[in-house]
Amino acid sequence: VAALRSEFGPLPDQSMHEKTSVASLIEELYTFLRQADARELGGLFREVDAARKAGDSAAEAAAQEKIDNHITHVVPIIADIDAG
């Protein structure tokens, strides 16, 4: 992270980076993970809407089951933020 995320450009991992670089990268990762959830759930909700519009209660129930059992992409991230 330190070598890639430094605001001063690519630097070696020798504690020559901002203390916020790891936290910033993790925040960015969580944003992408939440967006992945939103995209997946949005598609499932569109399936429910389409099934309701078509009057297909079996397809609606199947899509609702997928929503109810959705497993989030957001998981804990453990990051080591030390000086070397």
Side-chain angles (χ1 to χ4, degrees):
V1 172
L4 299 175
R5 303 299 290 184
S6 173
E7 291 181 14
F8 299 113
L11 297 172
D13 188 8
Q14 298 176 348
S15 299
M16 299 172 64
H17 57 280
E18 303 79 24
K19 64 182 177 182
T20 60
S21 61
V22 173
S24 296
L25 177 60
I26 291 171
E27 182 178 1
E28 188 176 328
L29 289 172
Y30 274 129
T31 298
F32 290 134
L33 295 173
R34 286 191 303 272
Q35 288 173 343
D37 277 350
R39 185 176 187 276
E40 188 171 329
L41 285 169
L44 293 173
F45 282 114
R46 283 189 291 278
E47 283 183 34
V48 169
D49 290 343
R52 283 182 183 160
K53 187 175 181 179
D56 187 348
S57 60
E60 180 183 348
Q64 185 63 51
E65 172 93 13
K66 290 178 190 175
I67 291 169
D68 293 342
N69 294 311
H70 176 261
I71 297 174
T72 182
H73 292 88
V74 179
V75 295
I77 295 175
I78 299 172
D80 178 20
I81 307 173
D82 64 12

